[in-house]
Amino acid sequence: MSGALGAGEGKLRIQVRVEKGMIAAVVLSSTRPVSACSILVGCRLDEALALLPRLFGLCGAAQAVAGLRAAENALGLTVSPPQIAARRMLVSAEALEQTVWRILLDGPRCISVKPALEALKPLRRVLASLRPLLLPEPTWMQVGGARLTPDRAGLAAALDEIEQRVDQTVLGRMPTAGSPWRDRGAFEAWLRAAESPAAMILRWASEQGLAGFGRSAVEPLPEFDPAWLARQMANDADYSFCARPDYIGVVGETGNLARCWNHPAIAALRAEYGNGLLVRLTARVIECGALVAELGEQARAVNAEHPETPDLENASGSGLGVVECARGRLVHWLAVMEGRIIAYRILAPTEWNFHPDGPLARGLAGARIGGGTEVRQPIELLVMALDPCVGFELTIDEC
């Protein structure tokens, strides 16, 4: 199986050996070109930032915002709250689209259920409408900020539609039905009755006895010391840290579950199933609601403005940009001299979650699993829950 969102070059290869119903060995290898951003070296700063969304098939908005933050930190620029809010809206809209994509399309495929493509199409359409409702020019990747002309009525209507569509397509209920996350009883009732793809996937994991499948001792990444991270990125001329990162010798996890780690519903499920499959999949569903709420909060902070363009011709310095995107923590670091890029590094979430000592490898090693066709399904569902940014190829050897 290949990840449906795995655009771009490179591939993640996962080799699993199963012996007597237990995963005896896991080997992860990646051909993802972590040095691809070196193509930006020599470009003018404004040209490089405009290229970022086109260089990456996934998370283009998040890549652009991470690059902007790195550039603005390098130049010592302070960006206004409305600009920050508009950028966060674009990143959240992108993350919501890709999270729902996994729930409606890729999750059902993993358990041999028909994907809900028709339910996704109108949501993608309304999410795509947010950018022109905020920014008049398509090239919004401007250091210091772009011209903002928020259409209040249009944004309100779009956000209402987004909330309704997420509620109906992901949770499978009308907004008046109450939250399934208010207590364990409400969650169990929703899980038994809802007919949405999300509920069907969670029920499948529970009924197959796979609620704790893939659990491990890997914990969420801590907040990084910016100075430490900047040094790591600046010294990573061979991209070895970006390919196999660690934080003071420890590999952590990033993404949906890490962000929802202390949510009451997730904390209750973790007490029973650790960071296993049911918990990961539930975190993905919960985050859909969190992203809808984030869109509304940031929309209220956006105001019309037209910031001045800073002088980039003589810009020099280095800076770090960190953004939480659909798959987790995305880090950009760049160095610029006299207006041109002299070094660029990107650390993507995939390198944490699919590290040889990361949550997938450690979660699969030693896991109990059924035989025959049952082997592939839970492994693919766990990979989908961890969400690589490239396609993946799974090979299973059974002894």
Side-chain angles (χ1 to χ4, degrees), residues 56 109 235 311 335 345:
F56 299 96
R109 288 192 187 103
N235 294 330
D311 175 23
R345 324 255 200 266

Side-chain angles (χ1 to χ4, degrees), residues 258-279:
R259 289 189 289 259
C260 295
W261 193 255
N262 292 317
H263 185 284
I266 294 300
L269 288 172
R270 281 198 295 109
E272 190 169 353
Y273 304 115
N275 58 359
L277 189 55
L278 182 68
V279 184

Side-chain angles (χ1 to χ4, degrees), residues 60-110:
Q63 299 281 1
V65 171
L68 285 169
R69 287 184 180 176
E72 288 154 357
N73 285 331
L75 275 58
L77 297 176
T78 299
V79 180
S80 72
Q83 294 291 331
I84 294 172
R87 292 175 183 178
R88 288 179 67 175
M89 283 193 72
L90 296 181
V91 173
S92 295
E94 180 179 75
L96 180 59
E97 177 196 14
Q98 295 182 15
T99 301
V100 174
W101 183 305
R102 287 302 199 199
I103 291 171
L104 299 186
L105 301 190
D106 295 330
R109 288 192 187 103
C110 291

Side-chain angles (χ1 to χ4, degrees), residues 32 35 50 88 98 113 133 198 250 253 312 322 341:
R32 203 178 83 80
S35 63
R88 288 179 67 175
Q98 295 182 15
V113 172
L133 291 170
V250 176
E253 174 175 348
L312 302 181
V322 182
I341 300 290

Side-chain angles (χ1 to χ4, degrees), residues 61-302:
Q63 299 281 1
V65 171
L68 285 169
R69 287 184 180 176
E72 288 154 357
N73 285 331
L75 275 58
L77 297 176
T78 299
V79 180
S80 72
Q83 294 291 331
I84 294 172
R87 292 175 183 178
R88 288 179 67 175
M89 283 193 72
L90 296 181
V91 173
S92 295
E94 180 179 75
L96 180 59
E97 177 196 14
Q98 295 182 15
T99 301
V100 174
W101 183 305
R102 287 302 199 199
I103 291 171
L104 299 186
L105 301 190
D106 295 330
R109 288 192 187 103
C110 291
I111 60 171
S112 303
V113 172
K114 183 179 178 181
L117 178 60
E118 293 306 313
L120 180 63
K121 287 180 179 178
L123 178 60
R124 296 186 75 193
R125 173 190 54 76
V126 68
L127 286 169
S129 75
L130 292 179
R131 191 204 55 76
L133 291 170
L134 289 167
L135 299 135
E137 287 93 17
T139 307
W140 55 270
M141 297 75 68
Q142 305 292 327
V143 176
R147 186 160 66 98
L148 285 172
T149 56
D151 177 343
R152 296 288 181 190
L155 283 172
L159 293 175
D160 283 346
E161 183 179 351
I162 289 167
E163 183 174 10
Q164 291 174 20
R165 291 196 179 279
V166 168
D167 208 81
Q168 293 168 21
T169 59
V170 175
L171 293 179
R173 61 174 176 82
M174 295 304 291
T176 55
S179 171
W181 318 121
R182 63 183 182 272
D183 54 49
R184 187 63 178 267
F187 173 69
E188 296 290 352
W190 169 78
L191 192 58
R192 286 193 302 270
E195 293 302 322
S196 70
M200 287 189 286
I201 295 165
L202 291 173
R203 276 200 302 272
W204 181 90
S206 183
E207 291 167 358
Q208 297 293 318
L210 294 165
F213 177 76
R215 66 189 297 173
S216 72
V218 178
E219 295 192 353
L221 286 175
E223 289 298 318
F224 293 139
D225 171 21
W228 172 87
L229 184 56
R231 287 195 302 272
Q232 292 293 116
M233 301 291 278
N235 294 330
D236 196 32
D238 63 355
Y239 298 91
S240 58
F241 175 75
C242 291
R244 289 197 177 183
D246 66 82
Y247 186 60
I248 316 176
V250 176
V251 178
E253 174 175 348
T254 187
N256 299 120
L257 178 55
R259 289 189 289 259
C260 295
W261 193 255
N262 292 317
H263 185 284
I266 294 300
L269 288 172
R270 281 198 295 109
E272 190 169 353
Y273 304 115
N275 58 359
L277 189 55
L278 182 68
V279 184
R280 293 186 181 285
L281 296 171
T282 303
R284 183 168 290 274
V285 179
I286 288 175
E287 185 145 79
C288 289
L291 289 167
V292 171
E294 174 77 357
L295 287 171
E297 180 182 346
Q298 298 308 320
R300 292 188 288 274
V302 175

